[in-house]
Structures are given as structure tokens and as C-alpha cells.
Amino acid sequence: MKASTKKNYRTLTDLVMACKHNDQRAQTLFYNRFRTELMRICTRFALTRMEAEDIYQESFVKIFRHLHEVQNIESIESWMRSVVTRTAINYYHRVTKKEAKNHSMDLSPLDFESNDHTCMIDRLGVGIVDDMIAQLPDGYKRIISLSLIEGYSHIEIAQALSITDSTSRSQLLRGRNLLMKRLRKQGITGYEMP
């Protein structure tokens, strides 16, 4: 009886090591394992689902090309998030930013000055937050994603998107206020659980 040649990847380390050795089955498993989480980043920067898929594909080309450089497997998820975020920003510069210049930004009045957004966002599920952010104008969506979700500073956002840090701050404030309005229309306030 012939022994099975099917490999088991019991741990993330086993899977990554197999990917580093160009094991196609491992690469497919690895590609799909983080898809949901990493596609959230892609969709925050893309205008369409197809663009998000393009960003995801491009990100994984980079991930597989540089996977051998990762020394600490425990940090691989944050490293991949960083690669996907940088790829999405680069995509924005190459493709989306050109299109965005043709559309004016929704200049919502600055009517919510509290920090209730942190309380509301912390308590909501990821799906609800993603859906609400996806409905924002593209400029607001990118800044909110980078600042509130990815944790970038205004200076980092300004450098990444080729804008001023004051633009980043004002767009975050306007975007956050618009998000707050939409959340409140849904009956979600800073003091309620969804």
C-alpha cells in the first residue's frame, strides 16, 4: 500500500515554511486562510469589488515574493496587513486618485465634536462597521480606515496619500461626523450595544 503524500500543515509555522519552499498547495491554503480579513482592507480603498480583488492579488504577489524575509512567524499577520495596506495605498495613487479628482468631496457640516465615535466603533461588529464605512465618500473612507482601523497617525496618512496632515485631520473629522450621523440614523448611539 502506498503511503499518502498529502501534507498536513498543523501550525501556521508549518504552512509558512511550506510556502517558503514554493509548495503550491500550502500557498493556496495560505492565500485563502487570511482572505476575509485582508479583503476588508482592500475594499476600504477600492471603488468596486473587482478593484479590491486586484489589490488582494497584487498584495499576495508581494507577500509570496518577500515571505522568505519574515523571520518571526508570530508577526506574519501584522506584516501581511501592512503589505496589503501599502499595496492598497499604491493602488489608490495609481488608479483611484485620478478618478477621485473628477468628483467633489461631500463637505458635511462639522456637527459632532465628541469622542463618541470611539465608543460606538469599539462596540460594533466588524461587518457593521465595514458596511457603514463602505458607504462613505471615498476620501473619508480611506482616512477613517487608515486612522481609526489601521492606527496610522495623521502624518503617516498624509505621507501615504500625498496630502497635508491638516487635510487628513479635517477629512477624518468630517468622515467621522458623517459616519456618526449614519450610525445614529440606524439607531446606534455611543451608549448602546448593537
Side-chain angles (χ1 to χ4, degrees):
M1 197 174 220
K2 192 174 183 179
S4 173
T5 58
K6 189 173 181 180
K7 297 178 183 177
N8 290 323
Y9 310 106
R10 290 187 176 94
T11 66
L12 180 59
T13 301
D14 293 340
L15 186 60
V16 171
M17 293 309 290
C19 288
K20 286 183 178 184
H21 290 97
N22 296 320
D23 179 327
Q24 289 183 350
R25 181 174 170 267
Q27 289 174 334
T28 300
L29 290 170
F30 188 71
Y31 177 89
N32 291 325
R33 179 176 181 162
F34 299 100
R35 184 171 177 76
T36 302
E37 178 186 348
L38 297 177
M39 275 298 288
R40 283 190 187 112
I41 297 170
C42 299
T43 57
R44 290 182 197 127
F45 284 86
L47 296 176
T48 66
R49 179 74 178 176
M50 192 180 321
E51 282 185 354
E53 292 285 347
D54 288 346
I55 293 168
Y56 188 72
Q57 289 285 354
E58 187 177 331
S59 297
F60 260 88
V61 167
K62 292 176 183 178
I63 287 169
F64 285 133
R65 185 180 309 140
H66 298 284
L67 193 59
H68 67 280
E69 298 170 10
V70 177
Q71 301 297 318
N72 184 3
I73 302 300
E74 287 82 35
S75 67
I76 198 151
E77 289 183 56
S78 63
W79 174 76
M80 289 182 356
R81 286 178 62 85
S82 176
V83 170
V84 172
T85 301
R86 284 193 312 271
T87 303
I89 290 169
N90 290 339
Y91 184 90
Y92 162 74
H93 283 297
R94 265 193 341 266
V95 178
T96 312
K97 192 173 184 180
K98 292 175 190 172
E99 295 171 11
K101 287 182 181 179
N102 297 329
H103 298 89
S104 64
M105 192 62 75
D106 173 22
L107 297 177
S108 308
L110 305 176
D111 55 358
F112 294 106
E113 295 295 331
S114 73
N115 284 327
D116 285 349
H117 70 284
T118 56
C119 187
M120 287 187 341
I121 289 173
D122 288 344
R123 293 180 182 197
L124 293 174
V126 173
I128 294 171
V129 173
D130 281 343
D131 289 344
M132 296 304 278
I133 291 173
Q135 295 172 18
L136 295 174
D138 295 320
Y140 297 161
K141 178 171 63 172
R142 286 184 193 92
I143 304 267
I144 285 176
S145 295
L146 288 170
S147 179
L148 297 181
I149 297 173
E150 299 299 326
Y152 283 68
S153 71
H154 288 292
I155 292 172
E156 293 169 322
I157 294 169
Q159 290 171 345
L161 299 180
S162 300
I163 59 175
T164 64
D165 63 332
S166 62
T167 299
S168 174
R169 290 175 200 283
S170 67
Q171 294 297 315
L172 176 63
L173 183 61
R174 288 184 176 116
R176 184 195 74 198
N177 291 339
L178 185 55
L179 180 61
M180 294 281 291
K181 266 186 189 175
R182 291 180 178 181
L183 288 168
R184 288 194 175 146
K185 280 183 183 177
Q186 296 292 320
I188 301 169
T189 67
Y191 308 104
E192 293 177 348
M193 294 294 282

